Amino acid sequence: MIRWLFLLIVVAAAAGYFTRPNEAAMRSAAESVLNDPATLEQMGDMLGAALAGQRRFDDYLVATRYTVTIGEDPAVECWGAFQQTRCNRVGAAASS
């Protein structure tokens, strides 16, 4: 039983490693969130990210993370695994 569980974990980790999204996919997902503003503040985030935004890609072997920051404040944070990405606006959630 333990061997099967260990084998399942190893197979899932290998699948995660080979199917994690690359930097281009994460950048595209983050840009689609930034380019769809719903409020005036989000419009400012879009312009700020285009002019002075810092982008960071982190690879955690089975998952990836992409962050867009404006100054010290994160604007968009994306996580990806198994060819799926999830991006959220950080500034809107923090100010609520």
Side-chain angles (χ1 to χ4, degrees):
M1 179 70 173
I2 298 292
R3 289 181 187 170
W4 286 107
L5 182 61
F6 180 72
L7 180 64
L8 182 64
I9 290 171
V10 169
V11 168
Y17 177 78
F18 287 110
T19 61
R20 68 188 188 275
N22 60 9
E23 185 174 1
M26 298 295 282
R27 184 183 325 112
S28 174
E31 292 298 325
S32 69
V33 170
L34 278 172
N35 291 335
D36 187 26
T39 65
L40 192 56
E41 180 183 358
Q42 291 175 358
M43 178 73 81
D45 286 347
M46 180 181 75
L47 294 174
L51 296 175
Q54 299 291 322
R55 287 151 172 81
R56 180 175 175 170
F57 178 74
D58 297 311
D59 188 353
Y60 297 113
L61 295 179
V62 295
T64 55
R65 177 179 166 205
Y66 191 82
T67 309
V68 178
T69 58
I70 302 170
E72 295 293 320
D73 301 323
V76 174
E77 182 178 57
C78 299
W79 285 92
F82 298 106
Q83 292 296 325
Q84 302 294 316
T85 59
R86 177 178 293 278
C87 294
N88 294 317
R89 289 185 182 271
V90 178
S95 65
S96 297

